[in-house]
Every structure is written in structure tokens, then in C-alpha cells.
Amino acid sequence: MQQTPNPTRNRQLPQTLPASEPRNPGMELDMDWVRAAQANRSAIERRAASLGTRRSVKKDHQAAWLLKAITCIDLTTLAGDDTEGRVRRLCAKARQPVRPDLLAALGMPGITVGAVCVYHEMVPAAVQALAGSGIPVAAVSTGFPAGLSPFHLRLAEIGESVTAGAQEIDIVISRRHVLTGNWQALYDEMRQMRAACGDAHVKAILATGELGSLRNVARASLVCMMAGADFIKTSTGKEVVNATLPVSLVMIRAIRDYHERTGIRIGYKPAGGISKAKDALVYLSLMKEELGTRWMQPDLFRFGASSLLGDIERQLEHHVTGAYSAAWRHPLA
Amino acid sequence: MTVKDIFQTMDYGTAPESAADALAWLVDQGDRFGHFIGGAFTAPGHGFDSRNPATDEVLATLTQATQGDVDDAVAAARRAQPRWEKLGGHGRARHLYALARLVQKHARLFAVLETLDNGKPIREARDIDIPLVQRHFYFHAGLAQLMDSEMPDRQALGVCGQIIPWNFPLLMLAWKVAPALAAGNTVVLKPAEQTSLTALLFADICRQAGLPRGVVNIVTGDGAVGEMIVTHPGIDKIAFTGSTEVGRRIRQATAGSGKALTLELGGKSPYIVFDDADMDSAIEGLVDAIWFNQGQVCCAGSRLLVQEGVADRFHTRLRARMDKLRIGNPLDKSIDIGAMVSPEQLARVRALVDGCEGGLVHRSNATLPDSGCFYPPTLITGLATASPLMQEEIFGPVLVSTTFRTPSEAVELANNTRYGLAASLWSENVNLALDVAPKLAAGVIWVNGTNMFDAAAPFGGMRESGFGREGGWEGLSAYTRARGKPKALARITPFEGKAGDTGPEGIDRTPKLYVGGKQARPDGGYSRTIHGKSGRALGQVPVAGRKDIRNAVEAARGAAGWSATTGHLRAQILYYIAENLSARAPEFAATLDAMQGGKGGKAEVEASIRRLFTYAAWADKYDGRVKGVPLRGVAMAMPAPLGVIAAICPDDAPLLGLVSLMGPAIAMGNRAVLVASEAFPLAATDFYQILDTSDVPGGVVNILTGSHADLAPTLAAHMDVDAVWCFSSTPLSGQIEAASASNLKRTWVNDATARDWLDTKSEGTEFLEQATEIKTIWVPYGE
């Protein structure tokens, strides 16, 4: 379904939000702060387990929250068999993520996803397909997903993607720097990657499933923010364990800590494994509870997800019609 | 609000749980309730309203029990008890299993009714209270099943009177009813007058489960009904959870009645945060500690102790967290803080906080409903230990805070309280955490966590938080007694002297008191002559008085190092005592025979040596248990020494009786103040020479001689004595139990029943249980 551009409608795109957030300039590596970071796994898991039971969002509120979740989705395809045709279809879905009749019934026309996330080779196709929509293209980069290609090539890859039109770059960190406690190396690497991004926003993928402990997640989060990351992101989606609530709690508490000390707001992106509308609601309430409502906007919060949208569409149709929906009633991404 | 508006504000909105089914159940019962006696509800009588504290709406009318109602309930329980016990462990297990299943099947009905009646958030009733109730009945079905094989020497106490509070109405019912029933007792239970509805629903469930009539009886009403239960002669045990003030009155009222008693009372539990803690998790823990159930939790972490270097940041973050708490309609699924139980409770908390002088008061800026019993989460920082709010239990959502410098200061501040129920500590350093945990004067200690409960883990306090444990084998044991019928103990009076007797031959010997490892003359300066059966004078013993007790208790308190020694060391010393006693066996046997007449002395000395060996053996073998709680971590139930035990020794078996009490006391790491047999004290005064030569550190064992009737009240009232045991033939049990209410120390008295000290039943686990208290230390782990 091709969308008719309508310049007068009230768009809900991230870039139309008041640009009040200064970008993270980064800071010197503060090892005292990094080493003091603690993460008690049992306590964190208890808090994570009660998040979904402490808050319940129902009816119109649920519909609004699910629509908000859609605007925070980085609609993603990161497969070896991606083609330009496949990416164009994804981009069309990004422009019109929910059937217009449902959006009309909800009084919310013009909803789009937060961004489209692809490999470098797919950036031009995505940029072209999204032209005029205001939806940014995010490129995974720096030897994604393992991040073990030559460092100068990883930096060069960032530049190539930016040149190709990517406005957001999802870099992967060198897990070995975390696992060996070489925080300075992690900091330096992140610093250079941030510089290579120029005006493009940089999301640092920590690959938390490979960092060994929540304490390491907390410390790596702090180091990446100190080195200038605009977002910190859990996973590539390719690790055995991807986004979880306990990991999210650790990362957003690090974000809160960074904001408390620097006044700078860093964004958060859980990626991989979030496929249910209910999960999206829990993540949104996690952001609200631990960071505040300001962090529930797409400039500070994204879901890295491919199948989440389908479930949200079904829930929205249920909300509008009162009857449970079916997947085939909604256009494929 | 339109979807579009909400999209901008991203508010939660409301998510109310429906009260329809619970209200319909009340209507089905006619909105009026009688008592549940003998398996049926009585006709509703004169009574009072039960209100929803969030809305002040009347939910139902309840009946105030009369003496006649309580008599009927006790009679029904008495009739039902023998058959219930004879059902056997498996038979009772089937019934408890049915109760567990039925509570589970009606879980939401129970949860909603609890929230309506009590004001607690539906999330807590639904996710915490009711699941723990189910777990309790399941667990105790298992204990009933295993009781016949695992506790063959124990039997039920009989009829138990149980009085429970309003903060966890159904959960406290389960904690009381499940173990009582598992052990073969029947119960008369009184729920709190503010929150009786789930107990009445439970009565309905008992009917559905086919529980035999009279096994569970529920009477409703206020404290007057509680008093009828407490003083009822047809009741064998009182189990009470509630305030320290009422607990003290119950201790006094039951004194000398022979009723078993367990008390779970108030607390002012410390919540210690070390500078290496995961600060955000410790803050979140406080939400579960003091803002759980509106802070109306006996074990609430209500006294925050933060290490000075991180205190400012901690308090700042804590205030931010408090402001995120949502307070309002308890039936709303997104509410953290519901209504306090009653307007009276609300007014009490308000008055306490408003009367606070000094300190910085921060109230959560969360919006409060316009009406109903709501009080905002409150933090008071900068209080000193001298502030009343640092000492008094508030029982509301009010946290008080102070700082400390070092781990030892943290322990000192934490233990600077009359209470001893629970404690939490937060540190990422395993050495620090495991060092500090056992040093805290509390029955339950949570490391990097708080308010964790499970049916398998014993829960209960020390000091003025009460005594007795609930949960686990330990909790079951509190609903049992040794099998057999006790015999009456005859009064043993000293032999009179014969006129004209000149006293013992040879050089004069002057037995003294033994205090702090030294022989001491009695403060009063009086001695009493001891005569043999023939009337011959055998010697003179000091008459100890109040001051001597003061000195002996001070010496015992000072010998705190003994409690920190290893079981291996204590075993060696106990063996050494036995060795030295053995070396002087004939002399002791002769003294015993001379005092008591007859020829039993030799056997008594032999039995004493054997008993010392028994406790030397136990010293390093009375192990704690790791409990099977549903948690990645361990819950360790560790037997810890009580501290200072004062024991009034039997008049019969003057040496063996003393050894039988001293042995378990010091083997478990206690220090003892022993009052020797009043009639036959000379074996005890010789015995301190044995102690002197056996490397027993000064103050660990102190021996007094004198009148039991004169010394018992002072010992029982002494605030620095942790337990009093009495096996005197002078009938002192009632007096001791009454006086013990001063600091709610544990008591173990003979109730004028006899014991065969030569029998091996007079040694072992029953004694070791009395010499220890269980500290349950929860250590969740995971990196």
C-alpha cells in the first residue's frame, strides 16, 4: 500500500520532537566511577520480575502505549538473504505500520516506526524508499555482529554508511575489552567510533549476552556513555541471550546515573527477543518507572525488533473491534 | 482522555480489579456473619461493622463473641482433637492438601476480599499473601505426612488458641492453623476485628474441604474475645501475633497456667547499607521493606542505617524513588501503596510523625486520594539514636534513617534496640556480609534482600519481638510436646538439724558463691547450715541475694567471648570437666549420699560424667539446616546461643540436675547463672572447684546458693538475662513466667512436674532447642 504524502497532518516522527536534548559530548574516562558500579543479580531479577505485575495498562491507555511502542521501533532486517526488494517492503511497512482504518479509529493517523535498521549494503535502498517520510535509516556497523574485523576497516565502515545516508549507526563494541577489564581500550575504541559517526547518532551495542556478568554490563554501559555514545543497546540479536529485563534494568540505571552526574540524557535500545505487545508495555513502564516519562519518546528509546509490530497490530485491532485478531489481517513487513 | 491525549502524557490510567465476585460472596452470606464453631456458622448476633478502609464502606456485620461462644468453640475443638490426632500424619496430610488446593482454586476471591477488607494493594494480596498461604498449607501437608516417622517421640499439645493481627489476615491464619493442624491439634482462632472476612471465607473452605467438625473454629470480636481465649482453662497453647504490649499482657495472663506460648511481636528492624552495596537495588529493596503493606509489617526494615560516605547520594536517590510510588485505590493493579487498615491507625502514624522533633522529613509527592485511610511514604533523615522514632515501632510507611562509620558500628547501632525480629544488610562483599549477618540480634536476617518468607524457613524473633518460630520443622515442633504423661513433683525440703550437733569434723571449709571465675562471699553476709538426713551438720553455704544475682549476670554478660568460641573448643572443655569430676568421683558420691541419704551418689556422679560427655559430643554437632526455599540462594537456619541463661537447678539430683542444665547451656555457647539445689547445695559448691581446674573461662558458669523463692523473681525480671529455666521443687513456674514479661525473655519451667534426671530422656535435643534460638539467614546469590 503506497502512502499518500500529506504535509499538513500531525506527524509523530522522532525528528519532529522539540530538539531539546543536547548530544552527549562524552567525558574523560572516570575509572573510580566505573569500578564502583555494582549490580546484584538476585535483587535485580526480583525487581525485574515484579515490573510486569506492579503496573498494568488497560483499554485506551494500552492502545496509546502500543502506538507509542510502534513509534519507538527500529524495524529491522539483518539477514544474509536481504535484498533491495525485501528492504523496500520493510520501508513501506515502516511508513504505514498499522492499517489506516485502525489508526483512524484510534484517532491517530500518521504513526510511523522510529527507524529502519539494515546492513550497510541495504542503506541506499532504504534511504530511497524512505525519502520524504522523515524516518531515519540506521545501519549496523563495525563488523557487526562480532566486531572482529580490522579496526581501521570498522571505522571506515561507519564513514561509508554515513556517506550512504544512514543517520544512525549501531556499532558493536569489542567484548574482549570488557572481558579482560581493559576499560581504557573500550573507551578509546568507542571514542573513535563516535568521532567517525560525525553528525549521525551512534548506538553502542554491548552484546550483553557475551559480557559474563551484570556488573560488566553496568561498567561497559558507563564507559560507552563516557566515550560519547548517544544510545546504549543490549544486543545484536545474534547472541544466545539478547535483551532481558534484568540487563535492561542495569543499563538504564547506568543511564540514570550518568544523567544524575552529567545532566545528559542517553537513549536506550533493547534488541532481540522482544516479540509480544505485552513485553513492549513492560519495557515502556520500565522506562517510565526507572527513568521517567521523558525517556518514553523515540529520541531516547527504541526497540530493536522485527516481529513485535505484528503482535501490536493484532492487539490494536482487538482494541478497536473487541474481537481477537489474526496475523493475516495485517500487511506483512 | 483520548488515545491521542494519552499518547502525549503516557499516563498509566486505572486498571481496577473487579470486586464483583467478592461482594457477591458477602451477599450470599447475608452480609452478616456468626462464628464458625463445630463445623457450622452460628446465627449472627450482636456485633460490629467491618469496613473497607479505602472507602469507609461497610462490607459486612460481624458478631462479637461472648464467653459462651468461646466456651462452645473450645468444647468443639476439645471434642474433635483426639480423633483428629488419631487420624495419623497421612490422614491429616490429606486434609491439609485439600485446604491448599481449595485456597488455590479460590485464589482471586481470597485476594480481592483481603484487599477490600484490609486496604492492601491487590498486587500484594494476589502475588504475595495468597500464594504464601497456599505454600504454607502444601508445606504443612508434607510435615503432617512425615511427622509420624520423623518425630515419633512428640505428640500434639491439644487445643490451640490463636490470635492473629490485621496486617496479613489470611497469611497469619495460615501460619497459625497449618502447623497446629499438621501436628494433630485443633484450633480456636480469632482474627483481628478489622479484618475477619478472609478467615470466614476460609471457614467456608474448611466446610467444602470436608475438614472434620471442630478441628478449626473461628470466633470474631475484639481484644475482649482474645482475652477470653488467653485465659480459657480448656486451652493448651496460645499462639499470638501482634503488638509487644499485648504480647506482654498475654505472657502475664498465661503465667503459671501450664499453657504453651509463642509470641511474634513488634520490631524496629535495621536495614543496613554498606558503601559497596548495589545502591539502586538496596533502594528498591526499601520499597519492599517499608513500603510493602503500607509499612504495617512487623519485620519491616524501618530503621535505615547507611554508611556515611554514601549516605547523601543514597538519600537523594531514595527520595526520587519514593516520588515514583503510586498510592491510591488498593484494587487498582498499578498501585504500590494502598490504604492503612483503619482511621485509628492512620491517626496514630500521623501523630508520631508530626510529633517528631529534629530530622528532615520527606513525604513522597505522589498524589493522595481525597478520602480514605491513606498516608504518604515518608523518610526522616538525620535522626539520632536518642530520637523516639528511632526506637519506637511506627507500623506505617515511615522510614527513619541514620548513618554509621564502620561495620562494627553498624552492628552496634543495629542491635541498639529492645526488639530483635529481622534485619537486612546490603553489601557486595561476601566477607563483610557473612561476618555481619550472624552478629545481628534478630531471628531473621536477609543479605541483599528483604521480606523474604517461606513456609520452610523459620520466622520469629528474640528480645521483645517475642519467642518461638513459625515455619519449618522448628515451627511444627512448637505445636508438639514430648509423649507421655508427666508426674507431679513433690516439694523437697532441706533436712533439719539435730539439737546439739557440733558440725562437721576437721578443718572448717567455707563454700562460697562462684561468680566470674572467682569465689565470692555473699553480699548479704549470711550463711545457712546444711544438714544430712541424719540431722548432722554437713557444712554452711552462702545465702545469695539480689546483688549477687546482679554480679553473676554481669559476669556472665562479660564472658561474651564464650559465645564466639568454636564447638570444638567447648567440647574439649566439657570433656575436661568430666575428666576432673571423674577423678574426684568417690568424694562427690560421698557428699551426695551424706546430703540426701541412701546410696545413690555413685550412680549420680557416673550419670553426670556421662551427661557431660553427651554435651561435649553435641557441642560441635548440633547443626543448623539449609532450608529448601524457592530461591536461587540459601536460607540457613542456624542455632545461635541465647546469651545469658539463668537456671534454677532441680532440688533432686543436686549434681546431675545442675550438670544437665549447665551442659546444654554452655555447649551451645551460652553463659550460665546456676542456682544450686536449695535442699542439697554442697555438691554444687564443690563443683566450682572442678570448673576452676577445667579451663572454663571466668563468667561462663556462675553458681549461686540460696532460697529459690527469693532468687527466682529477681532472675526472671532481670533485663539482661535472655532466658530463665526453672526445675526447682518450689512451685515458682507462674511467678517466673509472669516476671519474665519484663523483657519477654524465654522461659522453660517444670510446672511442678517431675523429671527422671537419670533417664536419657533428660538430655539431648529438647535441651539443645531450649539453649539455642534459630537465626534464619537468607543469602540469595548469583553473579
Side-chain angles (χ1 to χ4, degrees), chain A residues 131-154:
Chain A
S133 70
I135 302 171
V137 173
V140 296
S141 192
T142 66
F144 182 95
L148 290 168
S149 48
F151 186 62
H152 71 276
L153 293 183
R154 281 185 267 152

Side-chain angles (χ1 to χ4, degrees), chain A residues 10 12 36 38-47 50 53-58 60-61 63-65 67-68 71 106-108 111 212-216 253 256-257 260-261 284-293 296-297 319, chain B residues 1-15 123-124 126-127 276-282 284 287-288 313 316-317 321 324-326 332-336 426-428 447-450 452 631-632 780-783:
Chain A
N10 179 19
Q12 302 291 341
Q38 299 285 12
N40 185 284
R41 181 169 157 203
S42 286
I44 286 161
E45 286 177 350
R46 281 197 299 278
R47 167 66 168 154
S50 76
T53 58
R54 274 189 184 270
R55 297 290 180 262
S56 183
V57 186
K58 297 291 177 199
D60 279 358
H61 283 80
W65 279 50
L67 289 166
K68 180 65 74 180
T71 66
L106 292 164
M108 292 287 290
I111 289 283
S213 72
L214 290 178
R215 194 190 320 271
N216 274 347
R253 283 175 173 174
R256 188 170 67 197
D257 197 8
E260 198 178 288
R261 301 211 206 187
L284 280 168
S285 79
L286 170 69
M287 299 303 285
K288 187 174 172 75
E289 289 297 310
E290 294 280 330
L291 285 168
T293 309
M296 301 170 85
Q297 304 295 339
H319 178 78
Chain B
M1 280 225 289
T2 65
V3 170
K4 194 168 182 171
D5 297 332
I6 302 165
F7 186 85
Q8 296 303 330
T9 63
M10 291 302 284
D11 288 337
Y12 284 114
T14 58
R123 179 192 74 88
E124 293 178 9
R126 179 196 67 199
D127 296 348
D276 67 342
D278 173 355
M279 200 184 274
D280 288 315
S281 288
E284 198 57 43
V287 173
D288 294 328
R313 173 173 290 172
T316 304
R317 289 191 186 186
R321 178 68 186 94
K324 291 256 178 195
L325 292 168
R326 288 166 57 84
D332 191 320
K333 288 179 259 189
S334 299
I335 284 297
D336 296 306
W426 290 76
S427 167
E428 289 300 298
V447 174
N448 291 324
T450 197
M452 295 167 173
L631 169 86
R632 188 188 59 232
Y781 50 68
E783 172 62 31

Side-chain angles (χ1 to χ4, degrees), chain A residues 140-207:
Chain A
V140 296
S141 192
T142 66
F144 182 95
L148 290 168
S149 48
F151 186 62
H152 71 276
L153 293 183
R154 281 185 267 152
L155 288 182
E157 187 184 0
I158 294 173
E160 298 264 339
S161 294
V162 172
T163 306
Q167 292 170 266
E168 300 177 3
I169 303 293
D170 291 17
I171 63 99
V172 291
I173 65 163
S174 295
R175 278 74 113 183
R176 66 183 188 282
H177 293 332
V178 177
L179 296 174
T180 57
N182 195 348
W183 303 110
Q184 185 67 51
L186 179 67
Y187 178 85
D188 293 344
E189 169 185 273
M190 183 70 225
R191 257 283 183 235
Q192 292 186 62
M193 288 177 177
R194 157 73 198 262
C197 286
D199 288 338
H201 279 226
V202 58
K203 307 191 194 102
I205 302 176
L206 303 184

Side-chain angles (χ1 to χ4, degrees), chain B residues 469-488:
Chain B
R469 293 292 178 266
E470 296 182 295
W473 290 102
E474 295 82 354
L476 186 70
S477 154
Y479 281 95
T480 66
R481 65 177 180 85
R483 277 195 189 283
K485 220 182 168 118
K487 281 197 286 259

Side-chain angles (χ1 to χ4, degrees), chain B residues 338-655:
Chain B
M340 305 205 60
V341 73
S342 65
E344 293 77 24
Q345 189 62 17
L346 177 67
R348 220 192 110 256
V349 171
R350 188 173 282 150
L352 278 169
V353 175
D354 292 350
C356 174
E357 286 171 13
L360 178 66
V361 179
H362 175 80
R363 292 182 177 83
S364 162
N365 65 13
T367 34
L368 252 58
D370 299 329
S371 63
C373 302
F374 294 94
Y375 194 83
T378 302
L379 167 69
I380 310 178
T381 49
L383 286 182
T385 45
S387 163
L389 287 191
M390 283 301 279
Q391 299 287 342
E392 300 304 321
E393 184 175 35
I394 299 175
F395 224 63
V398 182
L399 178 67
V400 295
S401 177
T402 191
T403 60
F404 65 87
R405 296 167 296 173
T406 62
S408 59
E409 189 175 52
V411 171
E412 211 179 344
L413 286 170
N415 292 345
N416 182 215
T417 170
R418 287 181 290 129
Y419 296 108
L421 188 50
S424 297
L425 73 97
W426 290 76
S427 167
E428 289 300 298
N429 177 345
V430 68
N431 294 308
L432 177 63
L434 295 184
D435 180 38
V436 167
K439 290 179 180 165
L440 297 172
V444 186
I445 295 135
W446 295 292
V447 174
N448 291 324
T450 197
N451 279 346
M452 295 167 173
F453 310 105
D454 186 62
F459 179 93
M462 51 199 283
R463 296 186 179 171
E464 295 192 23
S465 294
F467 44 78
R469 293 292 178 266
E470 296 182 295
W473 290 102
E474 295 82 354
L476 186 70
S477 154
Y479 281 95
T480 66
R481 65 177 180 85
R483 277 195 189 283
K485 220 182 168 118
K487 281 197 286 259
L489 175 64
R491 182 83 188 261
I492 297 170
T493 45
F495 293 121
E496 299 290 335
K498 237 182 355 210
D501 185 70
T502 51
E505 291 164 16
I507 299 176
D508 179 70
R509 289 184 69 198
T510 307
K512 293 189 185 145
L513 307 175
Y514 186 62
V515 174
K518 293 192 174 66
Q519 301 184 33
R521 292 181 195 285
D523 182 76
Y526 287 98
S527 292
R528 183 168 69 88
T529 305
I530 302 301
H531 302 279
K533 195 173 185 182
S534 62
R536 190 165 62 90
L538 301 174
Q540 293 178 321
V541 292
V543 177
R546 287 176 62 85
K547 298 264 166 66
D548 301 305
I549 286 180
R550 180 198 65 190
N551 296 345
V553 172
E554 258 174 36
R557 180 58 61 194
W562 181 252
S563 299
T565 55
T566 62
H568 176 57
L569 178 90
R570 297 195 294 269
Q572 284 176 288
I573 287 175
L574 280 155
Y575 281 126
Y576 198 15
I577 298 171
E579 180 190 325
N580 287 325
L581 178 60
S582 176
R584 289 174 59 180
E587 178 202 334
F588 270 87
T591 302
L592 289 168
D593 288 342
M595 283 194 297
Q596 303 182 92
K599 299 250 178 273
K602 189 171 179 225
E604 189 179 337
V605 174
E606 268 312 304
S608 300
I609 292 167
R610 195 171 309 145
R611 194 137 292 164
L612 287 164
F613 262 63
T614 295
Y615 289 110
W618 272 118
D620 55 3
K621 292 173 194 68
Y622 191 57
D623 304 325
R625 289 182 166 116
V626 172
K627 299 291 178 171
V629 294
L631 169 86
R632 188 188 59 232
V634 288
M636 301 175 282
M638 306 194 342
L642 306 178
V644 176
I645 297 177
I648 300 170
C649 298
D651 288 304
D652 50 331
L655 177 67

